Amino acid sequence: MSISDPIENGLKGGWLHIDASTLQVSRHFEADVVIVGTGAGGGVAADILTQAGLKVIMIEAGALKSSKDFDMEERTAYPNLYQQAASMKTADKGISIFQGRTVGGATTINWTTSIRTPEPTLDFWAKEKSVVGLDTQSLAPWFDTMEQQLNISTWLYEPNRNNGALLEGCNKLGWQSTVIKRNVKGCWNTGYCGMGCPVNAKQSMLVTTIPSALDAGAQLISRAKVMQIEHSEGKVTGLKAQVVNTNFEPRGTTLTFSAKHYILSAGAIHTPALLMRSNTPDPFELLGRTFLHPSLLSGGIYDEQIKGHSGAPQSIYSDEFVWRDGASGDLGYKLEVAPVHPVLVASKTLGYGQSHAELMKNFNRMQVVIALIRDGFNEQCPGGQVRLTDSGFALDYPLTDGFWQGAKRAFLSMAELQFAAGAKQVRPMTEGLPQLNSWAEAKAEIETADLGLLRTVVASAHVMGGCPMGEDRLISMVNSEGSSHYLENLSVMDGSVFPTSLGANPQLSIYALVARNASLLAQRLKPVVG
Amino acid sequence: MQRRTFLTGAFVGTAALALGVNLYPNKVEAPAEDLYSRLLFSVLVPVFLDGMLPEVAKPREIVINRTLDAISEAIKVLPSEQQQELAELLGQLESRLGLLLLSGSVTPLIMRQPQQLISMLESWRFHYLQLLQTAYLGLRELVMASYYACPEHWGGIGYAKPSFLLK
Ligand SMILES: Cc1cc2nc3c(=O)[nH]c(=O)nc-3n(C[C@H](O)[C@H](O)[C@H](O)COP(=O)(O)OP(=O)(O)OC[C@H]3O[C@@H](n4cnc5c(N)ncnc54)[C@H](O)[C@@H]3O)c2cc1C
């Protein structure tokens, strides 16, 4: 069956794309707007600004891949499409972090769950974080627009059993549950979103906004990593990028860029790290405060076949516990499921030898619930801090007592849910617990379990924050429209502007916010160039 | 700037100081091509993957070799900082002193019985020192990810990728 490949077609049709790894000599580029990063933020910004008639260059550290490269294997996907070959961790190795490094950023590999920014989060930002103009009402048109553009709608198919068990558990226990909206068009329901969509059904930036921008004349430079923002007297004067080879190592060739306006969309962690490395003003040392939705995992073994690798990875969530104690109260957590693929599961479970082999032999009967802890709303879980190192950056993310208390509640909820859904055994992914055979047993064991750093598996695919927005300079780096407080021709348009985590999967929040802010910027820039 | 590396734990540092030796070789080669690290993994892989490896000698050897190749491949795509950390750990496990500090014995790992290796891994796994737990987790993740990355090994868990795109 042949799949139409928009990237291949676009390149044949004359898109302006340079794979920088092929460049032998240093070069200089000029545009109206230069955008660093092509993920959820960069993709949307590039499209809107190009359509507004501006000359746009997108610079991306990752490579340009297309559906023909997506072979549905983790061994190909992780090194090609993920930051640090999917082995990225916090400095103390306590949290595994998944982030994209490819054209389309994390949207190329994400699981398609699309959720509007929760109202309690927007209220919290307005009250506590000096964010203005972003409430449910004012954002609604932007959500509508992006939902339409990216084919975001409720997943009408039956959930796979992995998600089905989440739904069943919620129904049995009377807990809240929601059918997820997904950004897909003609989805084959195979379950390999995390390795890049092989049939171009996922409406990621790779097949939507980026082709649209390129069709309209934008330029894409892939495998070029921006290392330096040059600035003087309150203005950005240029960017410097390193060409990387196919292994993403610097090749010694330098590219320079100048533009009227610069947009950072390198994502949480990389946007703040770039600003820090470039010594841009940060008088209140706000850069790099990162949130992760640190997530706990619970495996359930059922009598029936679950086949959690097959079918839409996420189609049901439960918000029963997210806001239970209010935004700034005890840590809440969102319940979702994770797709079950061999490398992901083998490495994020416990033990080795016979016990691990037994778990893996039950692979198709395994159901995995995840609890995403809402971090950044209070001192129980204040988030992490990016710091620069000789060779790059490190993220310190102390897991506090408050976090572990939240984690314990989350393990209890997940076990209760899984037993209610018919699990025969539940294995919370933390060392030292026996195999749990009933909810009563689980309750007793989890309540006294000794959770802690490295003993408990903690992972995250939601990196947010690091360059917070707001009007008060004491607590924000960019204003509520994404413009830098300090450098007049610099904007930040990605997940790094969130002043806390969201309490929901981030992509749609980034799409809508960036659509708004890029449109406002286009209005501001157009007269200058027009 | 101080080197932030895998083994900059107080434990190893202090012990090395007490013994008057420098634990860190100045330059550690990346282990990917290193014969010793392959040998080292060849004794660890059967312990980590006990229960997933064939019992019969020849097929067992094939699976172990395939996994060792996959480990080399996996190391190559790790960022250089992580390669460096791993190289340091493997270097320690190679040196008599490092081995003594990490495992309480100078017997090379390749001469140990599986039960002794299990004891070592278990002591790291539940150790109060984070650096030993990290050693356990790092090796565990590398071996597990490498083994399960190979489509040849999916039969045992009943996993196969969809065939609709196969040429
Ligand atoms: C496995 C996985 C599953 C996920 N599932 C979901 C989901 O179902 N729903 C959801 O809402 N969210 C999901 N997410 C998260 C979501 O995809 C991200 O929150 C979102 O894409 C972030 O957008 P961004 O623009 O901030 O950054 P990114 O999408 O991460 O894009 C940043 C880009 O910038 C590039 N870059 C970084 N530094 C530089 C530099 N110096 N020079 C040049 N380029 C640079 C990176 O390579 C990257 O491509 C998932 C993420 C992952 C990893």
Side-chain angles (χ1 to χ4, degrees):
Chain A
M1 159 117 216
S2 90
I3 307 290
S4 154
D5 184 334
I7 302 300
E8 214 168 43
N9 297 342
L11 290 172
K12 275 190 205 137
W15 277 352
L16 296 174
H17 168 243
I18 296 175
D19 175 350
S21 70
T22 62
L23 294 180
Q24 299 306 322
V25 288
S26 298
R27 280 183 60 180
H28 180 74
F29 296 86
E30 282 181 15
D32 295 321
V33 183
V34 172
I35 302 177
V36 183
T38 58
V44 171
D47 190 21
I48 289 174
L49 293 161
T50 309
Q51 305 301 338
L54 294 154
K55 179 170 163 29
V56 171
I57 297 179
M58 298 172 259
I59 315 170
E60 170 56 54
L64 175 62
K65 300 281 180 185
S66 78
S67 49
K68 68 176 186 318
D69 302 303
F70 301 150
D71 65 1
M72 295 182 285
E73 292 197 24
E74 291 171 286
R75 62 176 172 174
T76 322
Y78 295 156
N80 285 345
L81 310 175
Y82 283 64
Q83 296 283 352
Q84 303 189 8
S87 70
M88 187 168 158
K89 289 189 169 56
T90 48
D92 60 13
K93 314 265 192 274
I95 310 179
S96 302
I97 304 174
F98 299 98
Q99 222 180 359
R101 176 190 53 198
T102 185
V103 173
T107 75
T108 302
I109 47 161
N110 78 16
W111 300 340
T112 73
T113 293
S114 305
I115 304 175
R116 292 186 178 201
T117 321
E119 197 160 358
T121 304
L122 293 172
D123 289 348
F124 186 84
W125 291 352
K127 280 202 195 84
E128 306 287 335
K129 301 290 176 183
S130 74
V131 172
V132 297
L134 299 181
D135 53 33
T136 309
Q137 239 180 353
S138 63
L139 277 173
W142 300 105
F143 282 124
D144 291 342
T145 305
M146 291 317 295
E147 286 173 356
Q148 226 169 19
Q149 186 180 349
L150 303 178
N151 284 277
I152 292 172
S153 60
T154 305
W155 182 242
L156 295 174
Y157 294 83
E158 198 178 330
N160 69 4
R161 272 309 291 154
N162 200 21
N163 285 274
L166 175 62
L167 180 62
E168 196 175 324
C170 286
N171 287 343
K172 291 243 169 78
L173 295 165
W175 293 356
Q176 192 281 340
S177 68
T178 303
V179 179
I180 284 174
K181 289 185 174 179
R182 307 184 60 222
N183 54 324
V184 291
K185 187 171 154 190
C187 175
W188 291 37
N189 201 14
T190 49
Y192 288 72
C193 310
M195 295 164 226
C197 181
V199 297
N200 295 313
K202 173 165 48 179
Q203 301 292 284
S204 69
M205 299 303 94
L206 180 66
V207 301
T208 57
T209 55
I210 293 170
S212 164
L214 289 167
D215 282 343
Q219 180 166 29
L220 170 66
I221 301 176
S222 60
R223 284 196 178 116
K225 186 172 179 187
V226 175
M227 301 301 290
Q228 195 71 32
I229 301 166
E230 284 167 348
H231 55 99
S232 78
E233 294 171 9
K235 270 190 95 147
V236 176
T237 52
L239 298 179
K240 254 197 192 138
Q242 262 180 1
V243 165
V244 296
N245 63 18
T246 49
N247 231 2
F248 301 102
E249 290 147 353
R251 263 217 13 227
T253 315
T254 304
L255 306 181
T256 51
F257 296 85
S258 50
K260 295 189 178 72
H261 200 90
Y262 299 83
I263 298 180
L264 300 185
S265 302
I269 296 184
H270 290 89
T271 286
L274 185 55
L275 287 163
M276 289 161 88
R277 200 180 305 128
S278 308
N279 277 318
T280 58
D282 178 18
F284 306 107
E285 297 187 3
L286 300 171
L287 282 174
R289 175 60 66 190
T290 301
F291 312 106
L292 292 176
H293 279 164
S295 305
L296 295 314
L297 292 83
S298 182
I301 307 291
Y302 292 65
D303 276 345
E304 60 177 311
Q305 293 279 304
I306 299 288
K307 294 205 167 177
H309 55 85
S310 179
Q314 297 187 315
S315 54
I316 305 289
Y317 69 74
S318 172
D319 270 358
E320 180 70 18
F321 302 99
V322 193
W323 306 105
R324 181 168 269 201
D325 297 304
S328 56
D330 276 351
L331 294 182
Y333 43 91
K334 191 175 186 79
L335 297 177
E336 297 181 348
V337 307
V340 183
H341 291 283
V343 173
L344 196 64
V345 164
S347 56
K348 294 292 160 266
T349 41
L350 304 170
Y352 59 94
Q354 289 292 343
S355 70
H356 192 262
E358 191 200 323
L359 186 76
M360 291 306 286
K361 282 176 184 160
N362 281 321
F363 185 77
N364 282 330
R365 298 196 292 126
M366 193 189 313
Q367 193 256 343
V368 178
V369 178
I370 51 177
L372 296 78
I373 300 244
R374 184 170 53 72
D375 55 344
F377 289 81
N378 65 28
E379 285 311 307
Q380 284 186 357
C381 204
Q385 179 63 49
V386 177
R387 72 178 143 80
L388 301 181
T389 65
D390 290 346
S391 54
F393 68 87
L395 176 61
D396 298 311
Y397 194 113
L399 292 165
T400 60
D401 286 348
F403 168 79
W404 293 116
Q405 283 158 22
K408 190 166 277 193
R409 293 194 296 276
F411 276 133
L412 283 165
S413 301
M414 291 191 284
E416 184 175 12
L417 180 131
Q418 288 174 309
F419 282 117
K424 292 294 173 263
Q425 287 167 27
V426 169
R427 296 175 186 223
M429 292 307 157
T430 185
E431 290 283 8
L433 284 179
Q435 178 182 304
L436 305 170
N437 298 306
S438 69
W439 167 226
E441 197 183 328
K443 196 163 167 2
E445 290 287 348
I446 295 171
E447 260 161 13
T448 55
D450 186 17
L451 308 183
L453 181 69
L454 302 177
R455 284 195 299 281
T456 305
V457 178
V458 187
S460 175
H462 295 171
V463 194
M464 295 161 285
C467 189
M469 63 178 161
E471 303 306 310
D472 178 353
R473 286 181 180 221
L474 288 173
I475 56 170
S476 65
M477 294 298 300
V478 298
N479 69 15
S480 308
E481 293 182 7
S483 304
S484 165
H485 286 318
Y486 303 103
L487 297 165
E488 67 172 58
N489 56 345
L490 179 78
S491 302
V492 177
M493 299 199 188
D494 60 18
S496 70
V497 300
F498 297 148
T500 63
S501 75
L502 297 169
N505 309 44
Q507 70 165 345
L508 182 53
S509 295
I510 301 172
Y511 295 144
L513 182 64
V514 171
R516 167 193 184 262
N517 290 350
S519 302
L520 292 170
L521 179 67
Q523 280 166 19
R524 262 171 40 214
L525 294 181
K526 250 190 335 192
V528 181
V529 292
Chain B
M1 188 185 272
Q2 198 201 341
R3 276 207 313 169
R4 252 179 316 276
T5 51
F6 186 82
L7 291 172
T8 37
F11 168 68
V12 172
T14 317
L17 214 64
L19 293 165
V21 279
N22 179 9
L23 266 180
Y24 303 110
N26 284 335
K27 170 116 176 62
V28 200
E29 291 303 325
E33 307 303 327
D34 182 345
L35 194 65
Y36 183 80
S37 67
R38 192 170 171 100
L39 216 64
L40 195 69
F41 277 113
S42 73
V43 300
L44 291 174
V45 161
V47 177
F48 274 111
L49 294 173
D50 185 23
M52 288 315 286
L53 298 175
E55 292 300 330
V56 182
K58 193 71 197 162
R60 184 180 174 88
E61 193 187 318
I62 292 172
V63 173
I64 291 175
N65 276 327
R66 179 74 192 90
T67 308
L68 294 174
D69 291 344
I71 289 173
S72 294
E73 291 305 310
I75 292 172
K76 278 184 216 151
V77 298
L78 288 177
S80 58
E81 271 179 41
Q82 285 190 32
Q83 290 194 23
Q84 179 76 16
E85 288 176 351
L86 189 67
E88 278 183 30
L89 172 63
L90 299 179
Q92 295 302 317
L93 292 176
E94 187 178 9
S95 93
R96 282 165 68 87
L97 180 60
L99 201 55
L100 180 66
L101 292 170
L102 291 170
S103 73
S105 157
V106 289
T107 310
L109 297 192
I110 44 173
M111 294 175 66
R112 295 191 194 182
Q113 296 300 312
Q115 201 47 50
Q116 294 172 311
L117 293 169
I118 291 174
S119 299
M120 179 187 80
L121 291 179
E122 284 300 283
S123 91
W124 289 2
R125 181 179 176 188
F126 295 105
H127 212 281
Y128 66 96
L129 288 172
Q130 278 175 16
L131 82 98
L132 293 183
Q133 280 185 62
T134 314
Y136 161 75
L137 290 170
L139 292 176
R140 178 193 178 280
E141 187 159 337
L142 185 60
V143 173
M144 294 303 175
S146 303
Y147 172 83
Y148 286 102
C150 303
E152 305 93 301
H153 302 160
W154 294 342
I157 58 169
Y159 176 84
K161 69 177 189 182
S163 55
F164 64 90
L165 287 179
L166 297 181
K167 301 263 153 55

